[in-house]
Amino acid sequence: MSGEGFDWRAFLGRWQAEWVPRADEDDGEDGEGAVPALGRAGAGEAVIAAAEERLGARLPASYREFLAVTDGWHVDETAGVYRLGGAADIDWFRDPYDVSPVYEENLGDRPREEDVLLAGMWRRALRLETDSDISHALLDPGDVGPDGEWALYVFKGWSSEPPDRHPSFRAYMEAMYRGFHSDRAENPDFVNATTRAQDARVEEARLLALRGRYEEAVPLLEEAQSYGRPRTTALLNQLRHLKAPRSTCDYGGLVADPRYQPDLLPAQAMPRGYGDRGRDEAEGWLRMMVAREVGKETAEAVWNGVRDGTHRYAPGGGWGRAVAGAREAAEWGRTDEAWRMLRAALPAWEAPGPSLIAPIGLLADPVLGPLVTPERGREILATPRAGQPGPAPEPAPDLDPPGLAWLAERAADRLPWNGYRGVWIEGADPAGLPALIGEEGAELSPPTDPREASRNAPAPHEREGVELWEDRAVVAVGRTAQDWAFAFETHSHHRLNARFRSPAAAASAAGRAVVVWRDPVNRASPDSADHPAAFHLSVAEQGKEHYAFTVRGTETERSGAIPEALDPALLFRPEDSGQQREARVLTALHAELGLSLPRFALTEGRLRTLTTRSWTREPGDGEPFGYAYVTVGQPRR
């Protein structure tokens, strides 16, 4: 960045005219109320030339022009540099602290160019400051840009961090001017042409964001943020949060504002990935919220609700009605349908005040939050809302693939090695599944992570009244896009054995029922002939099983009139791999029976769960069985 064309006199004059002391310093005025001069008279060309002769180098253009306007300046930087000297004060730094060897030792075999420049900077740099807190402003003649400008490094001697780099002296001074503003932004009396211009940019950015033009809003907000203007950080963090929905963002004191608290306080409490947080982190978060004037009971209630999955995002108006409908759909696994409902209602979202530009509270809802992927977050940002005009964005694609074939994919949420099993009932209400296939007294749980529910289910020996031979599954419950009720376990470690009892007949009292079971696969040898994984299908209607088959390796058991499209002899070809056979039969089940499963809800979302009756029958007289339970790693919570 060259100093050519830059009006140093106007720039420094504006800085001088706007100067007021920081809140933590004296006003600097004498008894007559005069504002102290930040600079002094400019150095003449002869003085600058004499300095260059003394130093043996011609100074870069932006610094020369600065000296011609003012021969020194009170920077007032809180980071440690207070005053820049004039032409007679500057001199070579010569690395008095012997810092160079430290940086040279860390260069490695293939150092980056910027690291090489930094390592050599200490011995060749020109020191500019005359008053500082063990800090130095260093111009480096070895780090030269295409415009001939020398990079300026700010070295804080009291910090272990590497020095801050600015591409030129002018860039450094502009940054210090922004810092001067930022340090005084909280002062309500600090109002001038610059603050008014930056506040106008914030308002322009807010309207652009509401019109879906969020990418145009970002640079305006980032510039205003560098001046410390109010609201900018919270507005930027809303844009960032929706582009990275599983992250956490800081919303500062806005969490205590009643207008924004329903959205921002839960969003502030979000753990990364919706996981648990430790007690120390919870206590620290609560202390921080109380310090921001959030009531302790309110903060605790929000934290606990977000953490245990009971929190509900409940806005008002048409947007609120869409949120409620979307939650109902998502709780039964219809996540793409839920997102389409939210998408249609987004224009009706209303901002409760000028500091909220998007429905951030949606992210903290345990059921709806997982639906907001980065792509969908950008769709929210690109959608005009709050009454603002603008074109609708291209819709983000649905997330659930059709059918069941995704279960055979090796990338499907750790499924390739685990077994799975499930029940489908055509046209049934999933709320009625406890009576059809549930254990005695079974009820549907509130929406929860179905994977965690299955993994953390107690073993038979841990439950009173449960026999060791029983195999009661914890299944996720929902409704497919084809209106089948389903009950599905995605992480089954149980193997199909001779005492298997299909729940198809009992389930078919409410409609045609289908049961599928795939054994866990041997990790070391997925297609091993010694330990082949079994695949079972049974279909029943009106309480009677119509047909069934079980394939284990090259052996097949079958009963009833199996449709040709589901004939295991055609689906399980010996020359194919286990994954190919599995994908073929799953594709056939979708084509012949219309079976499907919501992948996103089962692998990323929250669903109601149910503990079923045993999938194995009681051993008969003289029929042995074994039971073993091994705990690996941390005990279950």
Side-chain angles (χ1 to χ4, degrees):
M1 177 187 296
S2 173
E4 184 180 353
F6 183 70
D7 192 339
W8 279 101
R9 194 170 300 280
F11 171 69
L12 296 173
R14 183 168 68 250
W15 194 338
Q16 175 72 69
E18 293 172 349
W19 188 90
V20 295
R22 295 192 310 269
D24 61 348
E25 67 180 352
D26 296 334
D27 61 13
E29 299 179 359
D30 60 24
E32 299 179 357
V35 175
L38 302 182
R40 51 196 182 190
E45 176 61 27
V47 173
I48 298 173
E52 291 176 330
E53 184 177 355
R54 171 172 58 85
L55 297 169
R58 181 173 175 82
L59 298 172
S62 68
Y63 185 53
R64 278 187 119 259
E65 293 174 7
F66 163 81
L67 290 174
V69 173
T70 179
D71 195 24
W73 190 257
H74 179 61
V75 182
D76 187 37
E77 185 199 348
T78 56
V81 173
Y82 307 138
R83 178 167 289 279
L84 299 175
D89 303 310
I90 58 177
D91 202 355
W92 298 114
F93 185 56
R94 297 189 180 88
D95 194 11
Y97 307 116
D98 203 25
V99 177
S100 299
V102 176
Y103 282 84
E104 291 169 350
E105 289 170 2
N106 293 325
L107 286 177
D109 296 331
R110 301 177 64 183
R112 299 178 303 171
E113 181 182 358
E114 56 265 37
D115 294 331
V116 173
L117 287 171
L118 179 58
M121 182 270 296
W122 309 96
R123 294 192 181 101
R124 63 176 179 255
L126 186 65
R127 178 182 57 79
L128 305 185
E129 86 292 336
T130 58
D131 184 16
S132 70
D133 179 15
I134 324 177
S135 299
H136 302 282
L138 305 173
L139 269 177
D140 182 10
D143 188 350
V144 183
D147 55 3
E149 289 292 327
W150 302 2
L152 189 147
Y153 291 84
V154 178
F155 170 54
K156 308 175 187 67
W158 38 264
S159 172
S160 60
E161 296 296 320
D164 298 326
R165 181 186 182 277
H166 303 269
S168 68
F169 177 77
R170 172 185 162 184
Y172 164 72
M173 288 294 286
E174 289 178 318
M176 294 308 99
Y177 175 67
R178 292 191 296 269
F180 155 76
H181 267 266
S182 185
D183 286 345
R184 292 154 177 79
E186 297 298 322
N187 181 351
D189 297 328
F190 186 62
V191 179
N192 49 59
T194 303
T195 62
R196 287 190 288 268
Q198 291 300 325
D199 289 344
R201 287 185 174 89
V202 173
E203 180 59 17
E204 180 185 357
R206 185 183 76 87
L207 292 176
L208 285 170
L210 291 176
R211 291 168 186 164
R213 297 161 60 183
Y214 68 97
E215 291 177 326
E216 298 174 54
V218 169
L220 295 175
L221 289 172
E222 288 178 338
E223 180 183 357
Q225 183 186 43
S226 71
Y227 283 85
R229 301 316 300 156
R231 296 192 293 144
T232 53
T233 298
L235 294 175
L236 277 169
N237 279 348
Q238 291 172 57
L239 303 182
R240 293 164 181 158
H241 206 167
L242 280 164
K243 289 191 287 185
R246 300 299 179 268
S247 64
T248 56
C249 286
D250 189 358
Y251 292 105
L254 286 181
V255 295
D257 190 315
R259 295 174 295 175
Y260 311 121
Q261 192 172 89
D263 276 81
L264 300 186
L265 186 59
Q268 184 87 63
M270 284 176 57
R272 288 181 175 84
Y274 296 93
D276 289 332
R277 285 179 159 186
R279 179 177 176 181
D280 289 345
E281 189 169 5
E283 291 178 351
W285 185 87
L286 289 172
R287 285 194 299 271
M288 180 170 64
M289 294 304 104
V290 170
R292 293 177 178 178
E293 300 184 353
V294 178
K296 184 177 180 181
E297 291 184 0
T298 298
E300 287 179 337
V302 168
W303 174 269
N304 292 334
V306 171
R307 184 175 60 178
D308 64 20
T310 59
H311 171 70
R312 293 292 178 267
Y313 173 56
W319 169 245
R321 289 190 291 274
V323 167
R327 182 181 293 107
E328 174 72 13
E331 286 178 348
W332 295 116
R334 309 278 280 267
T335 53
D336 283 334
E337 178 185 329
W339 180 251
R340 289 192 288 270
M341 295 169 68
L342 293 171
R343 171 193 290 148
L346 263 174
W349 176 82
E350 293 291 342
S355 292
L356 198 68
I357 53 176
I360 295 297
L362 185 67
L363 301 180
D365 188 288
V367 173
L368 297 176
L371 274 59
V372 187
T373 62
E375 294 76 18
R376 287 172 170 176
R378 287 191 288 271
E379 184 179 358
I380 290 176
L381 292 175
T383 300
R385 51 201 180 275
Q388 294 296 320
E394 187 72 22
D398 287 348
L399 298 177
D400 281 335
L404 300 171
W406 63 270
L407 287 167
E409 296 173 3
R410 291 297 180 247
D413 189 55
R414 306 189 301 275
L415 288 174
W417 308 119
N418 293 326
Y420 55 80
R421 52 185 170 178
V423 182
W424 289 258
I425 308 172
E426 189 174 20
D429 183 351
L433 291 186
L436 292 171
I437 62 173
E439 66 179 4
E440 185 178 354
E443 295 180 349
L444 292 178
S445 76
T448 188
D449 184 333
R451 299 155 296 173
E452 292 296 325
S454 176
R455 283 192 288 263
N456 294 333
H461 70 276
E462 297 172 324
R463 295 190 61 191
E464 185 176 352
V466 176
E467 300 292 341
L468 295 181
W469 53 264
E470 291 190 85
D471 175 15
R472 304 189 188 190
V474 175
V475 292
V477 172
R479 182 184 282 112
T480 72
Q482 293 76 27
D483 210 30
W484 289 66
F486 69 84
F488 197 78
E489 183 184 22
T490 60
H491 289 274
S492 174
H493 301 290
H494 294 269
R495 288 192 172 275
L496 191 70
N497 59 50
R499 292 182 293 102
F500 166 65
R501 178 173 56 192
S502 172
S508 68
R512 183 170 52 157
V514 179
V515 169
V516 170
W517 183 329
R518 192 208 73 179
D519 266 358
V521 176
N522 188 322
R523 286 176 182 265
S525 181
D527 297 314
S528 170
D530 297 330
H531 301 284
F535 192 98
H536 170 85
L537 168 71
S538 50
V539 179
E541 196 164 2
Q542 296 181 345
K544 294 183 179 180
E545 187 173 279
H546 282 190
Y547 57 88
F549 67 73
T550 301
V551 176
R552 183 179 282 105
T554 59
E555 299 180 1
T556 301
E557 300 175 9
R558 52 191 300 160
S559 63
I562 300 174
E564 182 179 1
L566 298 177
D567 187 343
L570 299 176
L571 298 176
F572 293 84
R573 301 171 186 170
E575 66 271 19
D576 292 338
S577 69
Q579 184 180 1
Q580 290 173 320
R581 294 192 292 267
E582 180 186 357
R584 186 178 295 110
V585 69
L586 291 171
T587 300
L589 287 171
H590 174 58
E592 180 70 11
L593 301 176
L595 298 188
S596 65
L597 280 173
R599 179 176 66 182
F600 188 83
L602 287 166
T603 61
E604 301 287 341
R606 299 176 79 91
L607 293 169
R608 303 179 190 277
T609 62
L610 163 71
T611 301
T612 70
R613 301 165 196 163
S614 177
W615 290 56
T616 56
R617 60 171 174 78
E618 182 178 3
D621 292 340
E623 188 175 17
F625 80 92
Y627 176 82
Y629 185 79
V630 179
T631 300
V632 179
Q634 295 293 322
R636 293 178 302 180
R637 293 169 293 173

PDB file of all heavy atoms in Angstrom, residues 401-408 420 424 488 516 583 585-587 589-590 595-597:
ATOM      1  N   PRO A 401     -31.963 -39.942   1.362  1.00  0.00           N
ATOM      2  CA  PRO A 401     -32.062 -40.667   0.097  1.00  0.00           C
ATOM      3  C   PRO A 401     -33.308 -41.555   0.120  1.00  0.00           C
ATOM      4  O   PRO A 401     -33.800 -41.923   1.187  1.00  0.00           O
ATOM      5  CB  PRO A 401     -30.780 -41.505   0.081  1.00  0.00           C
ATOM      6  CG  PRO A 401     -30.458 -41.719   1.526  1.00  0.00           C
ATOM      7  CD  PRO A 401     -30.911 -40.478   2.244  1.00  0.00           C
ATOM      8  N   PRO A 402     -33.838 -41.890  -1.029  1.00  0.00           N
ATOM      9  CA  PRO A 402     -35.005 -42.783  -1.034  1.00  0.00           C
ATOM     10  C   PRO A 402     -34.612 -44.198  -0.635  1.00  0.00           C
ATOM     11  O   PRO A 402     -33.467 -44.624  -0.785  1.00  0.00           O
ATOM     12  CB  PRO A 402     -35.473 -42.731  -2.489  1.00  0.00           C
ATOM     13  CG  PRO A 402     -34.234 -42.397  -3.267  1.00  0.00           C
ATOM     14  CD  PRO A 402     -33.436 -41.500  -2.381  1.00  0.00           C
ATOM     15  N   GLY A 403     -35.580 -44.929  -0.101  1.00  0.00           N
ATOM     16  CA  GLY A 403     -35.381 -46.342   0.142  1.00  0.00           C
ATOM     17  C   GLY A 403     -34.499 -46.673   1.330  1.00  0.00           C
ATOM     18  O   GLY A 403     -34.375 -45.911   2.296  1.00  0.00           O
ATOM     19  N   LEU A 404     -33.843 -47.853   1.213  1.00  0.00           N
ATOM     20  CA  LEU A 404     -33.057 -48.414   2.306  1.00  0.00           C
ATOM     21  C   LEU A 404     -31.597 -48.674   1.943  1.00  0.00           C
ATOM     22  O   LEU A 404     -30.807 -49.028   2.826  1.00  0.00           O
ATOM     23  CB  LEU A 404     -33.669 -49.754   2.749  1.00  0.00           C
ATOM     24  CG  LEU A 404     -35.107 -49.744   3.253  1.00  0.00           C
ATOM     25  CD1 LEU A 404     -35.599 -51.185   3.435  1.00  0.00           C
ATOM     26  CD2 LEU A 404     -35.200 -49.002   4.560  1.00  0.00           C
ATOM     27  N   ALA A 405     -31.246 -48.517   0.673  1.00  0.00           N
ATOM     28  CA  ALA A 405     -29.910 -48.931   0.234  1.00  0.00           C
ATOM     29  C   ALA A 405     -28.794 -48.225   0.987  1.00  0.00           C
ATOM     30  O   ALA A 405     -27.677 -48.747   1.097  1.00  0.00           O
ATOM     31  CB  ALA A 405     -29.764 -48.702  -1.269  1.00  0.00           C
ATOM     32  N   TRP A 406     -29.087 -47.048   1.555  1.00  0.00           N
ATOM     33  CA  TRP A 406     -28.049 -46.320   2.299  1.00  0.00           C
ATOM     34  C   TRP A 406     -27.541 -47.110   3.499  1.00  0.00           C
ATOM     35  O   TRP A 406     -26.427 -46.876   3.971  1.00  0.00           O
ATOM     36  CB  TRP A 406     -28.568 -44.960   2.751  1.00  0.00           C
ATOM     37  CG  TRP A 406     -29.729 -44.995   3.707  1.00  0.00           C
ATOM     38  CD1 TRP A 406     -31.049 -44.992   3.397  1.00  0.00           C
ATOM     39  CD2 TRP A 406     -29.656 -45.029   5.128  1.00  0.00           C
ATOM     40  NE1 TRP A 406     -31.820 -45.019   4.543  1.00  0.00           N
ATOM     41  CE2 TRP A 406     -30.985 -45.039   5.614  1.00  0.00           C
ATOM     42  CE3 TRP A 406     -28.601 -45.043   6.045  1.00  0.00           C
ATOM     43  CZ2 TRP A 406     -31.273 -45.075   6.979  1.00  0.00           C
ATOM     44  CZ3 TRP A 406     -28.892 -45.083   7.399  1.00  0.00           C
ATOM     45  CH2 TRP A 406     -30.216 -45.098   7.857  1.00  0.00           C
ATOM     46  N   LEU A 407     -28.348 -48.071   3.995  1.00  0.00           N
ATOM     47  CA  LEU A 407     -27.905 -48.881   5.133  1.00  0.00           C
ATOM     48  C   LEU A 407     -26.678 -49.720   4.792  1.00  0.00           C
ATOM     49  O   LEU A 407     -25.903 -50.089   5.691  1.00  0.00           O
ATOM     50  CB  LEU A 407     -29.036 -49.806   5.595  1.00  0.00           C
ATOM     51  CG  LEU A 407     -30.199 -49.140   6.327  1.00  0.00           C
ATOM     52  CD1 LEU A 407     -31.382 -50.098   6.438  1.00  0.00           C
ATOM     53  CD2 LEU A 407     -29.768 -48.678   7.704  1.00  0.00           C
ATOM     54  N   ALA A 408     -26.502 -50.020   3.516  1.00  0.00           N
ATOM     55  CA  ALA A 408     -25.357 -50.837   3.104  1.00  0.00           C
ATOM     56  C   ALA A 408     -24.116 -50.009   2.821  1.00  0.00           C
ATOM     57  O   ALA A 408     -23.049 -50.569   2.580  1.00  0.00           O
ATOM     58  CB  ALA A 408     -25.722 -51.648   1.852  1.00  0.00           C
ATOM     59  N   TYR A 420     -28.377 -54.224  12.252  1.00  0.00           N
ATOM     60  CA  TYR A 420     -29.568 -53.402  12.390  1.00  0.00           C
ATOM     61  C   TYR A 420     -30.788 -54.302  12.265  1.00  0.00           C
ATOM     62  O   TYR A 420     -30.736 -55.405  11.715  1.00  0.00           O
ATOM     63  CB  TYR A 420     -29.607 -52.273  11.352  1.00  0.00           C
ATOM     64  CG  TYR A 420     -29.472 -52.716   9.910  1.00  0.00           C
ATOM     65  CD1 TYR A 420     -30.568 -53.236   9.206  1.00  0.00           C
ATOM     66  CD2 TYR A 420     -28.257 -52.609   9.241  1.00  0.00           C
ATOM     67  CE1 TYR A 420     -30.455 -53.623   7.880  1.00  0.00           C
ATOM     68  CE2 TYR A 420     -28.133 -53.004   7.917  1.00  0.00           C
ATOM     69  CZ  TYR A 420     -29.234 -53.504   7.233  1.00  0.00           C
ATOM     70  OH  TYR A 420     -29.115 -53.904   5.930  1.00  0.00           O
ATOM     71  N   TRP A 424     -41.647 -52.469  10.164  1.00  0.00           N
ATOM     72  CA  TRP A 424     -42.453 -51.487   9.450  1.00  0.00           C
ATOM     73  C   TRP A 424     -43.904 -51.942   9.460  1.00  0.00           C
ATOM     74  O   TRP A 424     -44.187 -53.136   9.254  1.00  0.00           O
ATOM     75  CB  TRP A 424     -42.015 -51.353   7.985  1.00  0.00           C
ATOM     76  CG  TRP A 424     -40.706 -50.697   7.758  1.00  0.00           C
ATOM     77  CD1 TRP A 424     -40.490 -49.422   7.347  1.00  0.00           C
ATOM     78  CD2 TRP A 424     -39.404 -51.284   7.876  1.00  0.00           C
ATOM     79  NE1 TRP A 424     -39.150 -49.161   7.209  1.00  0.00           N
ATOM     80  CE2 TRP A 424     -38.455 -50.299   7.526  1.00  0.00           C
ATOM     81  CE3 TRP A 424     -38.950 -52.559   8.245  1.00  0.00           C
ATOM     82  CZ2 TRP A 424     -37.088 -50.539   7.540  1.00  0.00           C
ATOM     83  CZ3 TRP A 424     -37.591 -52.798   8.263  1.00  0.00           C
ATOM     84  CH2 TRP A 424     -36.667 -51.785   7.921  1.00  0.00           C
ATOM     85  N   PHE A 488     -36.904 -48.970  14.609  1.00  0.00           N
ATOM     86  CA  PHE A 488     -35.640 -49.396  14.028  1.00  0.00           C
ATOM     87  C   PHE A 488     -34.494 -49.198  15.004  1.00  0.00           C
ATOM     88  O   PHE A 488     -34.409 -48.176  15.691  1.00  0.00           O
ATOM     89  CB  PHE A 488     -35.367 -48.589  12.751  1.00  0.00           C
ATOM     90  CG  PHE A 488     -34.323 -49.193  11.868  1.00  0.00           C
ATOM     91  CD1 PHE A 488     -34.622 -50.274  11.063  1.00  0.00           C
ATOM     92  CD2 PHE A 488     -33.033 -48.680  11.830  1.00  0.00           C
ATOM     93  CE1 PHE A 488     -33.668 -50.833  10.235  1.00  0.00           C
ATOM     94  CE2 PHE A 488     -32.066 -49.233  11.027  1.00  0.00           C
ATOM     95  CZ  PHE A 488     -32.385 -50.322  10.219  1.00  0.00           C
ATOM     96  N   VAL A 516     -37.104 -56.776   9.221  1.00  0.00           N
ATOM     97  CA  VAL A 516     -35.786 -56.988   8.608  1.00  0.00           C
ATOM     98  C   VAL A 516     -34.754 -57.028   9.715  1.00  0.00           C
ATOM     99  O   VAL A 516     -34.805 -56.238  10.665  1.00  0.00           O
ATOM    100  CB  VAL A 516     -35.454 -55.853   7.611  1.00  0.00           C
ATOM    101  CG1 VAL A 516     -33.991 -55.933   7.164  1.00  0.00           C
ATOM    102  CG2 VAL A 516     -36.378 -55.900   6.406  1.00  0.00           C
ATOM    103  N   ALA A 583     -27.091 -54.540  -0.471  1.00  0.00           N
ATOM    104  CA  ALA A 583     -27.649 -53.397  -1.195  1.00  0.00           C
ATOM    105  C   ALA A 583     -28.744 -53.836  -2.156  1.00  0.00           C
ATOM    106  O   ALA A 583     -29.758 -53.142  -2.315  1.00  0.00           O
ATOM    107  CB  ALA A 583     -26.540 -52.671  -1.955  1.00  0.00           C
ATOM    108  N   VAL A 585     -30.830 -56.489  -1.916  1.00  0.00           N
ATOM    109  CA  VAL A 585     -32.074 -56.853  -1.244  1.00  0.00           C
ATOM    110  C   VAL A 585     -32.750 -55.616  -0.657  1.00  0.00           C
ATOM    111  O   VAL A 585     -33.981 -55.494  -0.660  1.00  0.00           O
ATOM    112  CB  VAL A 585     -31.836 -57.930  -0.163  1.00  0.00           C
ATOM    113  CG1 VAL A 585     -31.049 -57.391   1.015  1.00  0.00           C
ATOM    114  CG2 VAL A 585     -33.168 -58.500   0.325  1.00  0.00           C
ATOM    115  N   LEU A 586     -31.969 -54.659  -0.167  1.00  0.00           N
ATOM    116  CA  LEU A 586     -32.563 -53.434   0.373  1.00  0.00           C
ATOM    117  C   LEU A 586     -33.241 -52.626  -0.729  1.00  0.00           C
ATOM    118  O   LEU A 586     -34.320 -52.042  -0.520  1.00  0.00           O
ATOM    119  CB  LEU A 586     -31.492 -52.588   1.062  1.00  0.00           C
ATOM    120  CG  LEU A 586     -30.918 -53.175   2.355  1.00  0.00           C
ATOM    121  CD1 LEU A 586     -29.717 -52.355   2.828  1.00  0.00           C
ATOM    122  CD2 LEU A 586     -31.975 -53.245   3.449  1.00  0.00           C
ATOM    123  N   THR A 587     -32.623 -52.588  -1.916  1.00  0.00           N
ATOM    124  CA  THR A 587     -33.242 -51.909  -3.049  1.00  0.00           C
ATOM    125  C   THR A 587     -34.535 -52.599  -3.450  1.00  0.00           C
ATOM    126  O   THR A 587     -35.543 -51.946  -3.773  1.00  0.00           O
ATOM    127  CB  THR A 587     -32.264 -51.873  -4.235  1.00  0.00           C
ATOM    128  OG1 THR A 587     -31.077 -51.165  -3.854  1.00  0.00           O
ATOM    129  CG2 THR A 587     -32.890 -51.193  -5.440  1.00  0.00           C
ATOM    130  N   LEU A 589     -36.543 -54.344  -1.498  1.00  0.00           N
ATOM    131  CA  LEU A 589     -37.559 -54.093  -0.470  1.00  0.00           C
ATOM    132  C   LEU A 589     -38.223 -52.734  -0.678  1.00  0.00           C
ATOM    133  O   LEU A 589     -39.431 -52.574  -0.448  1.00  0.00           O
ATOM    134  CB  LEU A 589     -36.926 -54.160   0.925  1.00  0.00           C
ATOM    135  CG  LEU A 589     -36.544 -55.553   1.416  1.00  0.00           C
ATOM    136  CD1 LEU A 589     -35.723 -55.462   2.699  1.00  0.00           C
ATOM    137  CD2 LEU A 589     -37.806 -56.382   1.649  1.00  0.00           C
ATOM    138  N   HIS A 590     -37.452 -51.761  -1.121  1.00  0.00           N
ATOM    139  CA  HIS A 590     -38.037 -50.453  -1.407  1.00  0.00           C
ATOM    140  C   HIS A 590     -38.943 -50.520  -2.632  1.00  0.00           C
ATOM    141  O   HIS A 590     -40.063 -49.981  -2.627  1.00  0.00           O
ATOM    142  CB  HIS A 590     -36.925 -49.430  -1.629  1.00  0.00           C
ATOM    143  CG  HIS A 590     -37.416 -48.089  -2.067  1.00  0.00           C
ATOM    144  ND1 HIS A 590     -38.308 -47.335  -1.330  1.00  0.00           N
ATOM    145  CD2 HIS A 590     -37.150 -47.357  -3.201  1.00  0.00           C
ATOM    146  CE1 HIS A 590     -38.566 -46.201  -1.960  1.00  0.00           C
ATOM    147  NE2 HIS A 590     -37.879 -46.196  -3.094  1.00  0.00           N
ATOM    148  N   LEU A 595     -40.620 -49.809   1.291  1.00  0.00           N
ATOM    149  CA  LEU A 595     -39.958 -49.532   2.564  1.00  0.00           C
ATOM    150  C   LEU A 595     -38.891 -48.453   2.392  1.00  0.00           C
ATOM    151  O   LEU A 595     -38.171 -48.407   1.398  1.00  0.00           O
ATOM    152  CB  LEU A 595     -39.294 -50.798   3.114  1.00  0.00           C
ATOM    153  CG  LEU A 595     -40.194 -51.991   3.446  1.00  0.00           C
ATOM    154  CD1 LEU A 595     -39.381 -53.050   4.161  1.00  0.00           C
ATOM    155  CD2 LEU A 595     -41.393 -51.572   4.268  1.00  0.00           C
ATOM    156  N   SER A 596     -38.800 -47.612   3.394  1.00  0.00           N
ATOM    157  CA  SER A 596     -37.748 -46.605   3.435  1.00  0.00           C
ATOM    158  C   SER A 596     -37.448 -46.285   4.893  1.00  0.00           C
ATOM    159  O   SER A 596     -38.168 -46.734   5.798  1.00  0.00           O
ATOM    160  CB  SER A 596     -38.163 -45.331   2.694  1.00  0.00           C
ATOM    161  OG  SER A 596     -39.257 -44.705   3.349  1.00  0.00           O
ATOM    162  N   LEU A 597     -36.398 -45.518   5.113  1.00  0.00           N
ATOM    163  CA  LEU A 597     -36.035 -45.043   6.453  1.00  0.00           C
ATOM    164  C   LEU A 597     -35.426 -43.654   6.335  1.00  0.00           C
ATOM    165  O   LEU A 597     -34.701 -43.380   5.370  1.00  0.00           O
ATOM    166  CB  LEU A 597     -35.013 -45.974   7.122  1.00  0.00           C
ATOM    167  CG  LEU A 597     -35.534 -47.261   7.755  1.00  0.00           C
ATOM    168  CD1 LEU A 597     -34.362 -48.118   8.206  1.00  0.00           C
ATOM    169  CD2 LEU A 597     -36.452 -46.977   8.943  1.00  0.00           C
TER     170      LEU A 597
END
